[in-house]
Amino acid sequence: VFVAKSLLMLNPKAIIPIVKCIKAYDFNEAVQYLMIDFLNIDRNTLQKFAQDSILSEDVAMQYLSVKAMSVLPPNASNENLLKQSVGRYDMAMKGWPIAVLALYKSSNIYELIGPYLNHTELREVSLRALAASTDEGDRKQFINILSAVEPDKYILNILLKSSREEDIKRWLLYFKD
């Protein structure tokens, strides 16, 4: 652990020793502070790592890549890779790229995440991504979902945390009476 930290101090772009250390310790408490260093590494280095590793078969590399993309500014290339990863990852990992798509306010995602809107573990993050989308078609799908179901804690939370005034008003309407 200290070796990885030392290497990073000597070479601020040395991402591989940090990644190897995080993986070797299986993300346990001993290396959690390295995640902070990892996410604060040179942006170009982090971008290259994320794009090169996101479609890896290695689950740890998938996680680290998506985590890296969560701190990088949105761009079309990252968004495309995140969408591909949703299709390729196993169910246990799909939520991570969907969450970053929500953070990026990605558009045209209903077809991609629609199958997960009724999946127990992926429902909340999928709804969040759909609600955040800037696409009119995605927005209509989100409104249709709101109209078709009784609001649950996930939907209420999404509406409350929305940056859209219409969503806050919709949230208030649920508590009108």
Side-chain angles (χ1 to χ4, degrees), residues 2 14 20 26-27 36 38 55 70 95 128 130 134 136 147 153-156 174:
F2 295 111
K20 285 182 178 181
D26 200 28
F27 297 88
I36 295 166
F38 169 75
L55 298 178
S70 75
R128 205 169 0 118
L130 192 60
T134 57
E136 192 63 35
S147 302
K153 64 182 180 180
Y154 302 124
I155 289 174
L156 291 173
Y174 286 119

Side-chain angles (χ1 to χ4, degrees), residues 59-120:
V59 174
M61 294 299 273
Q62 291 173 356
Y63 173 77
L64 289 170
S65 298
V66 172
K67 193 75 172 161
M69 285 193 180
S70 75
V71 300
L72 294 168
N75 65 52
S77 178
N78 286 359
E79 192 173 322
N80 184 43
L81 287 166
L82 286 162
K83 288 177 178 179
Q84 287 179 50
S85 66
V86 171
R88 290 182 58 167
Y89 287 6
D90 65 22
M91 281 300 200
M93 291 297 294
K94 285 183 188 296
W96 294 105
I98 293 172
V100 179
L101 288 170
L103 186 66
Y104 281 11
K105 297 181 179 183
S106 296
S107 59
N108 298 315
I109 58 170
Y110 179 73
E111 293 295 322
L112 178 68
I113 65 170
Y116 312 116
L117 290 168
N118 291 319
H119 190 277
T120 306

Side-chain angles (χ1 to χ4, degrees), residues 10-41:
L10 291 171
N11 180 1
K13 295 182 179 184
I15 198 167
I16 299 304
I18 292 178
V19 170
K20 285 182 178 181
C21 189
I22 291 169
K23 285 179 57 178
Y25 281 88
D26 200 28
F27 297 88
N28 74 19
E29 287 180 27
V31 295
Q32 287 305 307
Y33 70 92
L34 278 179
M35 284 297 292
I36 295 166
D37 292 329
F38 169 75
L39 295 174
N40 286 309
I41 209 157

Side-chain angles (χ1 to χ4, degrees), residues 34-53:
L34 278 179
M35 284 297 292
I36 295 166
D37 292 329
F38 169 75
L39 295 174
N40 286 309
I41 209 157
D42 172 75
R43 291 292 173 235
N44 292 330
T45 303
L46 199 58
Q47 176 74 35
K48 182 167 176 21
F49 167 80
Q51 288 186 337
D52 291 348
S53 305

Side-chain angles (χ1 to χ4, degrees), residues 140-175:
K140 285 179 183 175
Q141 291 295 337
F142 180 67
I143 300 301
N144 288 343
I145 291 168
L146 293 180
S147 302
V149 298
E150 190 66 31
D152 59 19
K153 64 182 180 180
Y154 302 124
I155 289 174
L156 291 173
N157 193 33
I158 289 164
L159 292 172
L160 181 61
K161 292 182 178 181
S162 175
S163 60
R164 289 185 171 113
E165 186 177 328
E166 65 189 81
D167 287 346
I168 304 297
K169 287 179 181 177
R170 194 177 297 273
W171 180 84
L172 287 168
L173 286 174
Y174 286 119
F175 298 100

